[in-house]
Amino acid sequence: MTKKAPIRTCIACRASSDKRTLVRFVRGVDGAVALDESGKMAGRGAYVCADEACFAKACEKRLFGGRLRTKVGNDDYERLRADFDAYMRTSSAASAGDR
């Protein structure tokens, strides 16, 4: 019997997808918001498509604060932007190496 892939919804475009294709952000036990590269960090999570447009919409509409049930300030959004950009560069380099 095969395991069903967990389905999650992007907070920006509301599209449902396999959670491994989405980027997870987490509010950790200390209250800090961070990008969760492993997808297994403890804490409340919110998912965004691995797409610049969805991430930009989530930031523009300030969706992380509501979904993660915490205050997310401008400094946090700038840090999340840098983390997201770095993650996208490394994941695209890794997928290019798979070819």
Side-chain angles (χ1 to χ4, degrees):
M1 186 168 147
T2 59
K3 266 177 105 171
K4 286 193 340 186
I7 302 297
R8 299 293 182 266
T9 302
C10 172
I11 63 173
C13 69
R14 309 296 296 156
S16 295
S17 183
D18 180 338
K19 85 176 211 175
R20 289 177 288 257
T21 64
L22 300 172
V23 180
R24 183 174 189 247
F25 293 86
V26 65
R27 180 195 73 207
V29 291
D30 60 353
V33 177
L35 187 141
D36 178 9
E37 290 189 43
S38 69
K40 297 179 181 180
M41 286 175 62
R44 181 166 194 82
Y47 293 84
V48 176
C49 294
D51 175 42
E52 171 61 35
C54 282
F55 180 78
K57 182 177 178 181
C59 289
E60 180 183 315
K61 294 189 179 272
R62 302 282 202 197
L63 298 175
F64 289 109
R67 296 302 189 279
L68 296 174
R69 298 183 187 165
T70 190
K71 289 193 191 290
V72 182
N74 289 336
D75 293 344
D76 295 319
Y77 277 104
E78 288 175 21
R79 184 176 39 77
L80 292 177
R81 157 65 64 196
D83 291 349
F84 180 79
D85 290 343
Y87 175 78
M88 293 307 291
R89 277 193 302 275
T90 58
S91 66
S92 65
S95 65
D98 291 343
R99 293 180 195 163

